[in-house]
CSV table of all heavy atoms in Angstrom, one decimal:
chain,number,residue,atom,x,y,z
A,1,HIS,N,-15.5,-134.9,-0.3
A,1,HIS,CA,-15.6,-134.6,-1.7
A,1,HIS,C,-14.6,-135.6,-2.5
A,1,HIS,O,-14.9,-135.8,-3.8
A,1,HIS,CB,-15.4,-133.2,-2.1
A,1,HIS,CG,-16.5,-132.4,-1.6
A,1,HIS,ND1,-17.8,-132.5,-1.9
A,1,HIS,CD2,-16.4,-131.2,-0.9
A,1,HIS,CE1,-18.6,-131.5,-1.4
A,1,HIS,NE2,-17.7,-130.8,-0.7
A,2,LYS,N,-13.5,-136.0,-1.9
A,2,LYS,CA,-12.5,-136.8,-2.5
A,2,LYS,C,-12.0,-136.2,-3.8
A,2,LYS,O,-11.8,-136.9,-4.8
A,2,LYS,CB,-13.1,-138.2,-2.9
A,2,LYS,CG,-13.7,-138.9,-1.7
A,2,LYS,CD,-14.4,-140.3,-2.1
A,2,LYS,CE,-14.8,-141.1,-0.9
A,2,LYS,NZ,-15.9,-140.5,-0.2
A,3,LYS,N,-11.8,-134.9,-3.8
A,3,LYS,CA,-11.3,-134.1,-4.9
A,3,LYS,C,-10.1,-133.3,-4.6
A,3,LYS,O,-9.9,-133.0,-3.4
A,3,LYS,CB,-12.5,-133.2,-5.4
A,3,LYS,CG,-13.7,-133.9,-6.1
A,3,LYS,CD,-14.7,-132.9,-6.5
A,3,LYS,CE,-15.9,-133.5,-7.1
A,3,LYS,NZ,-16.9,-132.5,-7.4
A,4,VAL,N,-9.4,-132.9,-5.7
A,4,VAL,CA,-8.4,-131.9,-5.5
A,4,VAL,C,-9.0,-130.5,-5.9
A,4,VAL,O,-10.0,-130.5,-6.6
A,4,VAL,CB,-7.2,-132.2,-6.4
A,4,VAL,CG1,-6.4,-133.4,-6.0
A,4,VAL,CG2,-7.6,-132.4,-7.9
A,5,PRO,N,-8.4,-129.5,-5.4
A,5,PRO,CA,-7.1,-129.4,-4.6
A,5,PRO,C,-7.4,-129.6,-3.1
A,5,PRO,O,-8.5,-129.4,-2.6
A,5,PRO,CB,-6.7,-127.9,-4.8
A,5,PRO,CG,-8.0,-127.2,-5.0
A,5,PRO,CD,-8.9,-128.1,-5.7
A,6,VAL,N,-6.3,-130.0,-2.5
A,6,VAL,CA,-6.4,-130.1,-1.0
A,6,VAL,C,-5.0,-129.3,-0.5
A,6,VAL,O,-3.9,-129.7,-1.0
A,6,VAL,CB,-6.4,-131.5,-0.4
A,6,VAL,CG1,-6.3,-131.4,1.1
A,6,VAL,CG2,-7.6,-132.2,-0.9
A,7,LEU,N,-5.1,-128.4,0.3
A,7,LEU,CA,-4.0,-127.7,0.8
A,7,LEU,C,-3.7,-128.3,2.2
A,7,LEU,O,-4.6,-128.4,3.0
A,7,LEU,CB,-4.1,-126.2,0.9
A,7,LEU,CG,-2.9,-125.4,1.5
A,7,LEU,CD1,-2.0,-125.1,0.3
A,7,LEU,CD2,-3.4,-124.1,2.1
A,8,VAL,N,-2.5,-128.7,2.6
A,8,VAL,CA,-2.1,-129.2,3.9
A,8,VAL,C,-1.2,-128.2,4.5
A,8,VAL,O,-0.1,-128.0,4.0
A,8,VAL,CB,-1.5,-130.6,3.8
A,8,VAL,CG1,-1.4,-131.1,5.2
A,8,VAL,CG2,-2.4,-131.5,3.0
A,9,HIS,N,-1.6,-127.6,5.6
A,9,HIS,CA,-0.7,-126.6,6.2
A,9,HIS,C,-0.4,-127.2,7.6
A,9,HIS,O,-1.3,-127.3,8.5
A,9,HIS,CB,-1.4,-125.2,6.3
A,9,HIS,CG,-0.6,-124.2,6.9
A,9,HIS,ND1,-1.1,-123.0,7.5
A,9,HIS,CD2,0.8,-124.1,7.0
A,9,HIS,CE1,-0.1,-122.3,8.0
A,9,HIS,NE2,1.1,-122.9,7.7
A,10,GLY,N,0.8,-127.5,7.9
A,10,GLY,CA,1.2,-128.3,9.0
A,10,GLY,C,0.5,-129.6,8.9
A,10,GLY,O,0.7,-130.3,8.0
A,11,ASN,N,-0.4,-130.0,9.8
A,11,ASN,CA,-1.2,-131.2,9.7
A,11,ASN,C,-2.6,-131.0,9.4
A,11,ASN,O,-3.5,-131.9,9.5
A,11,ASN,CB,-1.0,-132.1,11.0
A,11,ASN,CG,0.4,-132.5,11.2
A,11,ASN,OD1,1.0,-133.0,10.2
A,11,ASN,ND2,0.9,-132.3,12.3
A,12,LYS,N,-3.0,-129.7,9.0
A,12,LYS,CA,-4.4,-129.4,8.8
A,12,LYS,C,-4.7,-129.4,7.3
A,12,LYS,O,-4.2,-128.6,6.5
A,12,LYS,CB,-4.6,-128.0,9.4
A,12,LYS,CG,-4.3,-127.9,10.9
A,12,LYS,CD,-4.8,-126.5,11.5
A,12,LYS,CE,-4.1,-125.4,10.8
A,12,LYS,NZ,-2.8,-125.1,11.4
A,13,PRO,N,-5.6,-130.3,6.9
A,13,PRO,CA,-6.0,-130.2,5.4
A,13,PRO,C,-7.2,-129.3,5.2
A,13,PRO,O,-8.1,-129.2,6.0
A,13,PRO,CB,-6.5,-131.7,5.2
A,13,PRO,CG,-6.9,-132.2,6.5
A,13,PRO,CD,-6.1,-131.4,7.6
A,14,ILE,N,-7.2,-128.6,4.1
A,14,ILE,CA,-8.3,-127.6,3.7
A,14,ILE,C,-8.6,-127.9,2.3
A,14,ILE,O,-7.8,-128.1,1.4
A,14,ILE,CB,-7.8,-126.1,3.8
A,14,ILE,CG1,-7.3,-125.8,5.2
A,14,ILE,CG2,-9.1,-125.2,3.5
A,14,ILE,CD1,-5.9,-125.6,5.3
A,15,ALA,N,-9.9,-128.2,2.0
A,15,ALA,CA,-10.4,-128.5,0.7
A,15,ALA,C,-11.3,-127.4,0.1
A,15,ALA,O,-11.6,-126.5,0.8
A,15,ALA,CB,-11.2,-129.8,0.7
A,16,GLU,N,-11.5,-127.5,-1.2
A,16,GLU,CA,-12.3,-126.6,-2.0
A,16,GLU,C,-11.5,-125.3,-2.3
A,16,GLU,O,-11.1,-124.6,-1.4
A,16,GLU,CB,-13.6,-126.2,-1.3
A,16,GLU,CG,-14.6,-127.4,-1.1
A,16,GLU,CD,-15.0,-127.9,-2.5
A,16,GLU,OE1,-15.6,-127.2,-3.3
A,16,GLU,OE2,-14.7,-129.1,-2.8
A,17,SER,N,-11.2,-125.0,-3.6
A,17,SER,CA,-10.3,-124.0,-4.1
A,17,SER,C,-10.5,-122.7,-3.4
A,17,SER,O,-9.6,-121.9,-3.0
A,17,SER,CB,-10.3,-123.9,-5.6
A,17,SER,OG,-11.5,-123.4,-6.1
A,18,LEU,N,-11.8,-122.2,-3.4
A,18,LEU,CA,-12.1,-120.8,-3.0
A,18,LEU,C,-12.0,-120.7,-1.4
A,18,LEU,O,-11.5,-119.7,-0.9
A,18,LEU,CB,-13.5,-120.4,-3.4
A,18,LEU,CG,-13.7,-120.3,-4.9
A,18,LEU,CD1,-15.2,-120.0,-5.2
A,18,LEU,CD2,-12.8,-119.2,-5.5
A,19,VAL,N,-12.3,-121.8,-0.7
A,19,VAL,CA,-12.0,-121.9,0.7
A,19,VAL,C,-10.6,-121.8,1.0
A,19,VAL,O,-10.1,-121.1,1.9
A,19,VAL,CB,-12.7,-123.1,1.3
A,19,VAL,CG1,-12.3,-123.3,2.8
A,19,VAL,CG2,-14.1,-123.2,1.1
A,20,ILE,N,-9.8,-122.5,0.1
A,20,ILE,CA,-8.3,-122.5,0.3
A,20,ILE,C,-7.8,-121.1,0.0
A,20,ILE,O,-6.9,-120.7,0.8
A,20,ILE,CB,-7.7,-123.6,-0.6
A,20,ILE,CG1,-8.1,-125.0,-0.3
A,20,ILE,CG2,-6.2,-123.4,-0.6
A,20,ILE,CD1,-7.7,-126.1,-1.2
A,21,LEU,N,-8.3,-120.5,-1.0
A,21,LEU,CA,-7.8,-119.1,-1.3
A,21,LEU,C,-8.0,-118.2,-0.1
A,21,LEU,O,-7.1,-117.4,0.2
A,21,LEU,CB,-8.5,-118.5,-2.6
A,21,LEU,CG,-8.1,-119.2,-3.9
A,21,LEU,CD1,-8.8,-118.3,-5.0
A,21,LEU,CD2,-6.6,-119.2,-4.1
A,22,GLU,N,-9.2,-118.3,0.4
A,22,GLU,CA,-9.4,-117.4,1.6
A,22,GLU,C,-8.6,-117.7,2.8
A,22,GLU,O,-8.1,-116.8,3.5
A,22,GLU,CB,-10.9,-117.4,2.0
A,22,GLU,CG,-11.8,-116.8,0.9
A,22,GLU,CD,-13.0,-116.0,1.5
A,22,GLU,OE1,-12.9,-115.6,2.6
A,22,GLU,OE2,-14.0,-115.9,0.7
A,23,TYR,N,-8.3,-119.1,3.0
A,23,TYR,CA,-7.4,-119.4,4.1
A,23,TYR,C,-6.0,-118.9,3.8
A,23,TYR,O,-5.4,-118.4,4.8
A,23,TYR,CB,-7.4,-121.0,4.2
A,23,TYR,CG,-6.4,-121.5,5.2
A,23,TYR,CD1,-6.7,-121.5,6.6
A,23,TYR,CD2,-5.1,-121.9,4.9
A,23,TYR,CE1,-5.9,-122.0,7.5
A,23,TYR,CE2,-4.2,-122.3,5.8
A,23,TYR,CZ,-4.6,-122.4,7.1
A,23,TYR,OH,-3.7,-122.8,8.0
A,24,ILE,N,-5.5,-119.0,2.6
A,24,ILE,CA,-4.2,-118.5,2.3
A,24,ILE,C,-4.1,-117.0,2.5
A,24,ILE,O,-3.2,-116.5,3.1
A,24,ILE,CB,-3.8,-118.9,0.8
A,24,ILE,CG1,-3.6,-120.4,0.6
A,24,ILE,CG2,-2.6,-118.0,0.3
A,24,ILE,CD1,-3.5,-120.8,-0.8
A,25,ASP,N,-5.2,-116.3,2.1
A,25,ASP,CA,-5.1,-114.9,2.3
A,25,ASP,C,-5.2,-114.4,3.7
A,25,ASP,O,-4.5,-113.5,4.1
A,25,ASP,CB,-6.3,-114.2,1.5
A,25,ASP,CG,-6.1,-112.8,1.1
A,25,ASP,OD1,-4.9,-112.4,0.9
A,25,ASP,OD2,-7.2,-112.1,1.0
A,26,GLU,N,-5.9,-115.1,4.5
A,26,GLU,CA,-6.0,-114.9,5.9
A,26,GLU,C,-4.7,-115.2,6.7
A,26,GLU,O,-4.3,-114.6,7.7
A,26,GLU,CB,-7.2,-115.4,6.6
A,26,GLU,CG,-8.4,-114.8,6.1
A,26,GLU,CD,-9.7,-115.6,6.6
A,26,GLU,OE1,-9.6,-116.5,7.4
A,26,GLU,OE2,-10.9,-115.3,6.1
A,27,THR,N,-4.1,-116.3,6.3
A,27,THR,CA,-2.9,-116.9,7.0
A,27,THR,C,-1.7,-116.0,6.7
A,27,THR,O,-0.9,-115.8,7.6
A,27,THR,CB,-2.7,-118.4,6.6
A,27,THR,OG1,-3.9,-119.1,7.0
A,27,THR,CG2,-1.5,-118.9,7.5
A,28,TRP,N,-1.5,-115.7,5.5
A,28,TRP,CA,-0.4,-114.9,5.1
A,28,TRP,C,-0.9,-113.5,4.7
A,28,TRP,O,-0.7,-113.1,3.6
A,28,TRP,CB,0.4,-115.5,4.0
A,28,TRP,CG,1.1,-116.8,4.4
A,28,TRP,CD1,2.3,-116.9,5.0
A,28,TRP,CD2,0.5,-118.1,4.3
A,28,TRP,NE1,2.6,-118.3,5.2
A,28,TRP,CE2,1.5,-119.0,4.8
A,28,TRP,CE3,-0.6,-118.7,3.8
A,28,TRP,CZ2,1.4,-120.4,4.8
A,28,TRP,CZ3,-0.8,-120.1,3.8
A,28,TRP,CH2,0.2,-120.9,4.4
A,29,LYS,N,-1.6,-112.9,5.6
A,29,LYS,CA,-2.4,-111.7,5.3
A,29,LYS,C,-1.5,-110.4,5.0
A,29,LYS,O,-2.0,-109.6,4.2
A,29,LYS,CB,-3.3,-111.3,6.5
A,29,LYS,CG,-2.7,-111.0,7.8
A,29,LYS,CD,-3.7,-110.4,8.8
A,29,LYS,CE,-4.6,-111.6,9.1
A,29,LYS,NZ,-5.6,-111.1,10.3
A,30,HIS,N,-0.3,-110.4,5.4
A,30,HIS,CA,0.6,-109.2,5.1
A,30,HIS,C,1.4,-109.4,3.9
A,30,HIS,O,2.1,-108.5,3.4
A,30,HIS,CB,1.5,-108.9,6.3
A,30,HIS,CG,0.7,-108.6,7.6
A,30,HIS,ND1,-0.2,-107.6,7.6
A,30,HIS,CD2,0.7,-109.2,8.7
A,30,HIS,CE1,-0.7,-107.5,8.8
A,30,HIS,NE2,-0.2,-108.6,9.5
A,31,GLN,N,1.4,-110.6,3.3
A,31,GLN,CA,2.1,-110.9,2.1
A,31,GLN,C,1.1,-110.8,0.9
A,31,GLN,O,0.5,-111.8,0.6
A,31,GLN,CB,2.8,-112.3,2.1
A,31,GLN,CG,3.8,-112.4,3.2
A,31,GLN,CD,4.1,-113.8,3.6
A,31,GLN,OE1,4.2,-114.2,4.7
A,31,GLN,NE2,4.4,-114.6,2.5
A,32,TYR,N,1.1,-109.7,0.2
A,32,TYR,CA,0.3,-109.5,-1.0
A,32,TYR,C,-1.2,-109.8,-0.7
A,32,TYR,O,-1.7,-110.8,-1.1
A,32,TYR,CB,0.8,-110.3,-2.2
A,32,TYR,CG,0.4,-109.8,-3.5
A,32,TYR,CD1,1.2,-109.2,-4.4
A,32,TYR,CD2,-1.0,-110.1,-3.9
A,32,TYR,CE1,0.7,-108.8,-5.6
A,32,TYR,CE2,-1.4,-109.6,-5.1
A,32,TYR,CZ,-0.5,-109.0,-6.0
A,32,TYR,OH,-1.0,-108.5,-7.2
A,33,PRO,N,-1.9,-108.9,0.0
A,33,PRO,CA,-3.4,-109.2,0.2
A,33,PRO,C,-4.1,-109.4,-1.0
A,33,PRO,O,-4.0,-108.7,-2.1
A,33,PRO,CB,-3.8,-107.9,0.9
A,33,PRO,CG,-2.6,-107.3,1.4
A,33,PRO,CD,-1.5,-107.6,0.5
A,34,LEU,N,-5.0,-110.4,-1.2
A,34,LEU,CA,-5.7,-110.7,-2.3
A,34,LEU,C,-7.2,-110.1,-2.3
A,34,LEU,O,-7.6,-109.6,-3.3
A,34,LEU,CB,-5.8,-112.3,-2.5
A,34,LEU,CG,-4.5,-112.9,-2.7
A,34,LEU,CD1,-4.7,-114.4,-2.7
A,34,LEU,CD2,-3.8,-112.5,-4.0
A,35,LEU,N,-7.8,-110.4,-1.2
A,35,LEU,CA,-9.3,-109.8,-1.1
A,35,LEU,C,-9.2,-108.3,-0.8
A,35,LEU,O,-8.3,-107.9,0.0
A,35,LEU,CB,-10.0,-110.5,0.0
A,35,LEU,CG,-10.8,-111.8,-0.5
A,35,LEU,CD1,-11.4,-112.5,0.8
A,35,LEU,CD2,-11.9,-111.5,-1.4
A,36,PRO,N,-10.1,-107.6,-1.3
A,36,PRO,CA,-10.2,-106.1,-0.9
A,36,PRO,C,-10.4,-106.0,0.6
A,36,PRO,O,-11.0,-106.8,1.2
A,36,PRO,CB,-11.5,-105.6,-1.7
A,36,PRO,CG,-11.7,-106.6,-2.7
A,36,PRO,CD,-11.2,-107.9,-2.2
A,37,GLN,N,-10.0,-104.8,1.2
A,37,GLN,CA,-10.1,-104.6,2.6
A,37,GLN,C,-11.5,-104.2,2.9
A,37,GLN,O,-12.0,-104.5,4.0
A,37,GLN,CB,-9.1,-103.5,3.0
A,37,GLN,CG,-7.7,-103.9,2.9
A,37,GLN,CD,-7.3,-105.2,3.6
A,37,GLN,OE1,-7.5,-105.2,4.8
A,37,GLN,NE2,-6.8,-106.2,2.9
A,38,ASP,N,-12.2,-103.6,2.0
A,38,ASP,CA,-13.5,-103.0,2.2
A,38,ASP,C,-14.5,-104.2,2.2
A,38,ASP,O,-14.6,-105.0,1.3
A,38,ASP,CB,-13.9,-102.0,1.2
A,38,ASP,CG,-15.3,-101.4,1.4
A,38,ASP,OD1,-15.5,-100.7,2.4
A,38,ASP,OD2,-16.2,-101.8,0.6
A,39,PRO,N,-15.4,-104.3,3.3
A,39,PRO,CA,-16.4,-105.4,3.3
A,39,PRO,C,-17.3,-105.5,2.2
A,39,PRO,O,-17.6,-106.6,1.7
A,39,PRO,CB,-17.2,-105.1,4.6
A,39,PRO,CG,-16.3,-104.2,5.5
A,39,PRO,CD,-15.5,-103.4,4.5
């Protein structure tokens, strides 16, 4: 897409803001959970 935002964690780039948000929530899942627990 050649667009921002891009999150780089270690050497892994992740694009698209909502995809990044879910990645952040899953990676740091015990630090202030963002998504509800109920499916």
